[in-house]
Amino acid sequence: MNGTWRRGLAVVVIAGLGSLFLISSPPKGAADRPLLPLFIAANAPVTVIFIGTSLTAGDPWPDLVIERLRDCVAHPLRARQIAEGGVTSAWGLSQTQAVIAAVPDLVVLEFAINDADLRRGLSLSDSRDNHRTLLARLKQGLPKARIILMTTNPATGLRRLLRPRLAAYYAQYRTLAAEMDVGLIDLYPRWLALPRAAQGLTDGVHPAPDSAALVIVPVVTAYLGGLLGQTCTP
């Protein structure tokens, strides 16, 4: 097989199957941080809370994750979203007690996309301090839970101009995960590995449901399934 033929084949594979490869094999730069699995009694219920912005509140992906988990996890699953459009980690701090009161086993948290928005007025250090406080409170109130930070998608057009340091806010999640000993689902590199058209960011920041189902659902399902001691394949 000569070099020209191999390069041509690679282009076809990437163009036609890039999304599938993205899900099953994280691209270079994806830095998921695993945690030890939970120890849960047989048939005991598991509660999952998704907390964050409109990327969590306004999309069906959390429900799809739970549906897929029910197919591969031998526990009754309960889920709740504590999320609103336009909110930041400052709002997340105000929801700490609501999260703790629900006594979740798993908490998936994302605020970086809005913290990075110039209109919110949160510097990188402000975002870091908010997240440190939020994570510390959750860890203290939920000592047995697994808490996971999650990076989300890029922005385009005007929404991108309003978030000139978005990559830095996402990179800070990687630092915070190690510093605070929490998990990390690093979706941002996976989104960047997709062609722009396949990202489905029709309004510049919210992925189309089909794109979210393709990128987010398999990765989050596999990660949470692992924490529950199961291999949940895409």
Side-chain angles (χ1 to χ4, degrees):
M1 182 184 295
N2 62 44
T4 301
W5 198 92
R6 285 197 299 267
R7 286 192 295 272
L9 177 61
V11 170
V12 172
V13 170
I14 291 170
L17 300 176
S19 297
L20 179 60
F21 176 80
L22 177 67
I23 293 169
S24 60
S25 301
K28 184 176 180 181
D32 295 347
R33 186 174 191 271
L35 295 171
L36 291 174
L38 284 164
F39 294 97
I40 300 176
N43 300 318
V46 172
T47 299
V48 184
I49 285 188
F50 300 96
I51 176 171
T53 69
S54 60
L55 296 184
T56 293
D59 196 284
W61 69 262
D63 292 335
L64 293 175
V65 167
I66 297 302
E67 286 179 15
R68 292 202 185 182
L69 284 173
R70 287 189 174 121
D71 291 336
C72 69
V73 171
H75 294 278
L77 291 172
R78 300 181 294 220
R80 180 181 173 190
Q81 296 177 33
I82 299 179
E84 288 188 15
V87 299
T88 67
S89 56
W91 179 87
L93 279 172
S94 73
Q95 303 301 307
T96 306
Q97 288 308 312
V99 176
I100 293 172
V103 197
D105 301 285
L106 302 170
V107 180
V108 180
L109 183 154
E110 59 85 15
F111 288 107
I113 190 80
N114 281 350
D115 280 14
D117 190 325
L118 295 175
R119 295 171 297 179
R120 312 303 177 203
L122 283 179
S123 68
L124 196 60
S125 61
D126 290 335
S127 178
R128 179 193 63 221
D129 292 345
N130 285 347
H131 279 88
R132 281 177 175 169
T133 302
L134 174 56
L135 294 171
R137 290 177 182 175
L138 291 177
K139 286 169 67 70
Q140 181 178 18
L142 301 166
K144 295 182 180 180
R146 299 293 185 266
I147 302 165
I148 305 106
L149 292 170
M150 185 176 76
T151 66
T152 50
N153 51 270
T156 63
L158 177 60
R159 302 292 184 96
R160 180 180 181 182
L161 294 177
L162 290 169
R163 296 167 171 84
R165 301 191 67 197
L166 179 59
Y169 284 77
Y170 284 151
Q172 185 162 258
Y173 265 28
R174 301 175 195 121
T175 302
L176 283 166
E179 177 185 314
M180 301 297 295
D181 192 24
V182 298
L184 175 69
I185 300 173
D186 199 7
L187 294 174
Y188 184 54
R190 293 173 166 96
W191 282 107
L192 292 180
L194 279 177
R196 179 71 62 85
Q199 294 171 1
L201 302 173
T202 54
D203 69 352
V205 74
H206 296 97
D210 287 350
S211 296
L214 178 70
V215 179
I216 304 172
V217 174
V219 177
V220 177
T221 300
Y223 190 99
L224 299 186
L227 293 180
L228 298 175
Q230 298 294 324
T231 301
C232 298
T233 57

